[in-house]
Amino acid sequence: MMDEAQAIHPPHDKAAARPTLEAWRSLALVTVGPILLAFLFCALALLIAGHDPLAYYLYVVERGVFSGQGLQQTLTRMAPLLLHAASLIIAFRAGIWNLGGDGQFLLGAVMAAALGPVLVTVAPDWITLIACMLLAMLVGALWSLVPALLRAYQGVNEIITTLMMTFLGTSFANVLVKLIFLDPATTVPQTRTLPVEDRLAWLPGTTISSGLFIGLAAVIIVHLVMTRTAFGLRLRIVGANPKAALHAGLSVSALTVIVFALSGGLAGLAGAVDIVGVFGNVRADWNPAYALAVVPLVFLARFNGWATIAFVFFYAVLDIGGESAARRIGVPQYFTLVLVATMFILLALAEWLDQQRRARQRS
């Protein structure tokens, strides 16, 4: 009996669990090295453009981390980014490319902005906030239904359909703001505004929206579900090998639709959290494009929830600091995306080179 137990649960070898020299070397070459190289390449780009890269990086870090107000803005900015990350982790681990997050986000935001100011006049704040978030999740899930059904039952590539639904969702959100949910009391085309006192509470003594905790909870729950539950295992099997999943008796079509609904619902929730937690309304032509910005972060984290939180914080620091640097130093605000994209390319190249090296060692 003891031998069988040891075979099933082998004794924990502390020495084997310690990081080896090879593991540290791989971490340096595949992760840390490409990130530092990306900073170097972008520093050269700043020099060529006539800007001081050291001043830019120092100002970004100082504003995004060490400034009290800047750090609060960074943590607040993380809330919708984390919800988008949770949305993408579910989809990517299941082998599905949901690139329609921005459309789902905007439609969820518009519906939350339309419902909130009306419902708060007849219902308590907590009911209003929950209703806005649930409605946004429902709208995001429904907006993902067309790509889901086309992928599940017709085999249509979801990259194309979700991108098309994003363009359509962005335009439809603007139509809703300008024609149906327009606030007649303002000259700027926007929805009615949810009063500040009726929005998600701030952390005591700060301006950090409690939506941050919703985002953190979403990423952690998604990570645990995908790595520790039978449902998550089914989704990973579908993503790794749909034919094997069918052979194992899994309903690939139904699971595909469920994944799209969960992913779209979380993207819609991100829109609601941004509105009922920060902005209070939606203006016409507003589109922060969080979803596509988060895609490389999720890949950099290798779909790991804990690592994703760290990368989202890193990006939020760059985003908030970059906004300030754009005003103070004159560096374009979208330079943050250039930096993240450069990291993604170099990390992908380093990963490929590392795989080639390992293949040569095995042969």
Side-chain angles (χ1 to χ4, degrees):
M1 292 296 292
M2 182 64 69
D3 292 339
E4 292 180 3
Q6 289 178 346
I8 296 173
H9 301 289
H12 182 66
D13 187 348
K14 292 183 178 180
R18 296 192 191 102
T20 63
L21 180 61
E22 176 65 21
W24 286 113
R25 179 174 177 272
S26 178
L27 176 66
L29 293 177
V30 178
T31 303
V32 179
I35 291 176
L36 295 177
L37 204 57
F39 275 101
L40 177 60
F41 283 164
C42 289
L44 293 175
L46 288 172
L47 280 174
I48 293 172
H51 299 286
D52 182 356
L54 183 60
Y56 173 78
Y57 288 141
L58 288 176
Y59 191 82
V60 167
V61 174
E62 186 276 330
R63 178 61 181 171
V65 179
F66 297 109
S67 164
Q69 187 61 33
L71 179 60
Q72 293 177 52
Q73 292 176 355
T74 295
L75 295 175
T76 298
R77 179 66 55 85
M78 286 178 66
L81 297 175
L82 287 170
L83 286 164
H84 273 300
S87 165
L88 291 171
I89 289 173
I90 289 179
F92 290 160
R93 278 190 174 270
I96 293 171
W97 286 74
N98 177 22
L99 301 183
D102 285 324
Q104 296 151 9
F105 170 90
L106 284 173
L107 288 172
V110 169
M111 297 308 295
L115 177 64
V118 176
L119 186 58
V120 77
T121 60
V122 296
D125 289 352
W126 65 273
I127 292 180
T128 298
L129 295 174
I130 292 175
C132 288
M133 289 188 281
L134 289 177
L135 177 61
M137 292 182 70
L138 177 61
V139 170
L142 289 175
W143 199 250
S144 71
L145 194 58
V146 172
L149 295 175
L150 289 174
R151 160 69 187 264
Y153 297 102
Q154 299 297 325
V156 178
N157 189 308
E158 74 275 11
I159 295 177
I160 298 172
T161 55
T162 53
L163 285 175
M164 291 176 64
M165 292 299 286
T166 287
F167 297 138
L168 182 58
T170 302
S171 300
F172 188 40
N174 285 324
V175 169
L176 291 174
V177 171
K178 294 179 180 179
L179 297 182
I180 300 178
F181 301 132
L182 180 67
D183 183 0
T186 63
T187 56
V188 178
Q190 66 181 40
T191 63
R192 290 179 173 84
T193 302
L194 183 68
V196 174
E197 60 272 16
D198 297 320
R199 300 176 195 172
L200 286 173
W202 291 346
L203 271 64
T206 72
T207 58
I208 302 171
S209 170
S210 55
L212 172 65
F213 292 107
I214 298 176
L216 288 171
V219 172
I220 293 171
I221 290 172
V222 165
H223 176 79
L224 294 177
V225 167
M226 297 301 294
T227 58
R228 304 292 178 84
T229 68
F231 177 70
L233 177 61
R234 293 190 189 98
L235 296 185
R236 297 203 312 273
I237 292 173
V238 170
N241 194 329
K243 292 183 179 180
L246 281 172
H247 184 71
L250 299 179
S251 177
V252 175
S253 298
L255 288 173
T256 297
V257 174
I258 290 172
V259 168
F260 267 105
L262 292 173
S263 181
L266 286 169
L269 178 59
V273 166
D274 224 16
I275 298 306
V276 302
V278 181
F279 296 105
N281 61 43
V282 176
R283 291 191 174 189
D285 302 318
W286 175 69
N287 182 12
Y290 291 144
L292 291 180
V294 172
V295 170
L297 305 181
V298 174
F299 271 95
L300 293 179
R302 292 173 172 81
F303 311 151
N304 180 283
W306 306 109
T308 296
I309 293 173
F311 275 108
V312 166
F313 174 74
F314 176 65
Y315 176 79
V317 169
L318 293 177
D319 199 22
I320 295 298
E323 290 177 359
S324 300
R327 294 190 296 267
R328 295 291 185 89
I329 303 178
V331 176
Q333 187 173 332
Y334 57 78
F335 187 76
T336 301
L337 293 177
V338 174
L339 177 58
V340 173
T342 305
M343 288 182 188
F344 185 53
I345 293 171
L346 291 176
L347 282 162
L349 179 61
E351 182 77 22
W352 178 79
L353 291 173
D354 187 61
Q355 290 178 358
Q356 295 296 312
R357 179 182 63 83
R358 292 175 185 273
R360 287 194 300 269
Q361 288 178 348
R362 288 193 297 267
S363 61

